[in-house]
Amino acid sequence: MILNFSTPRLEDAQRVRELTTTARVSDLSFGNLFLLRHHYETQIAFADGFLFRRYNAGRLVGFGCPCGTGDLTLALRRIEEEFPREERPALLLVTDAQLGQIRAARPDAFTVITDPGDFDYLYRRDDLAEFSGAAFQAKRNHLNRFVSDHPDWRFAPLSTANASEALGVVDAWFVGQGS
């Protein structure tokens, strides 16, 4: 059975959150999936108790590890069905814990390639909230400059009312990064 992929929409937020409550990786946050959907040509699908993610831009071409509570072996086979027989599917943005689950479910189906440039940085929530100590000096400087340059900044939950504004911020950031 082929997966029915579509571009993430605001209406998908609750379902994505339900399937990713235990995930601790930024690429699974609904905000990132939604706001970066055009930049990475992200598509999502729901099947068999899983969220499936497909990326098709730049270095990100392939699938994220399925996230959910169903049978991972079945979910990985669904991904394999999306590829022609002569190709092996690429799984992207896989954590060590996910890699262990993948190897247990489908030991010889996937090749592992490590790219340290894609590693996430892990911080304790309290450390990020406080930015205390020398280790966070650069982040404090970055934050202080942002506040100085944008005195009218505000936090607001993502909604249909402000989605285009949030996308404009993301697009402007990508332009500034040369992406």
Side-chain angles (χ1 to χ4, degrees):
M1 181 179 173
I2 301 299
L3 294 167
N4 184 20
F5 281 96
S6 63
T7 302
R9 303 165 310 185
L10 286 174
E11 300 81 51
D12 297 320
Q14 184 58 36
R15 197 163 178 199
V16 168
R17 288 184 186 113
E18 288 168 2
L19 293 170
T20 61
T21 55
T22 60
R24 296 186 178 254
V25 290
S26 63
D27 64 287
L28 280 171
S29 77
F30 179 75
N32 282 345
L33 287 172
F34 181 78
L35 292 173
L36 302 176
R37 69 191 190 274
H38 298 301
H39 184 75
Y40 294 115
E41 297 181 31
T42 307
Q43 300 251 298
I44 61 173
F46 302 97
D48 303 321
F50 282 97
L51 164 68
F52 294 86
R53 299 173 334 275
R54 180 171 64 192
Y55 302 94
N56 191 31
R59 293 183 314 136
L60 281 180
V61 177
F63 292 85
C65 185
C67 190
T69 58
D71 180 347
L72 183 59
T73 301
L74 174 62
L76 293 171
R77 287 191 190 279
R78 281 187 174 274
I79 288 174
E80 290 175 280
E81 289 172 5
E82 294 285 326
F83 280 78
R85 288 281 174 223
E86 64 275 4
E87 291 185 36
R88 290 180 72 168
L91 289 180
L92 313 166
L93 310 169
V94 176
T95 67
D96 287 338
Q98 290 170 329
L99 180 57
Q101 295 168 345
I102 291 165
R103 285 187 169 150
R106 300 280 294 129
D108 299 320
F110 301 93
T111 302
V112 176
I113 299 170
T114 302
D115 183 353
D118 286 338
F119 287 5
D120 277 341
Y121 295 91
L122 299 177
Y123 299 104
R124 290 174 15 132
R125 191 203 83 52
D126 292 342
D127 292 343
L128 282 179
E130 299 298 324
F131 280 165
S132 60
F136 290 101
Q137 182 64 44
K139 291 196 181 310
R140 279 195 304 275
N141 291 342
H142 184 76
L143 176 62
N144 289 336
R145 177 157 183 190
F146 176 86
V147 170
S148 174
D149 290 350
H150 307 282
D152 59 341
W153 76 275
R154 62 185 166 77
F155 171 82
L158 187 61
S159 68
T160 53
N162 65 10
S164 63
E165 184 180 2
L167 288 169
V169 170
V170 171
D171 289 342
W173 183 84
F174 275 121
V175 167
Q177 297 299 309
S179 297

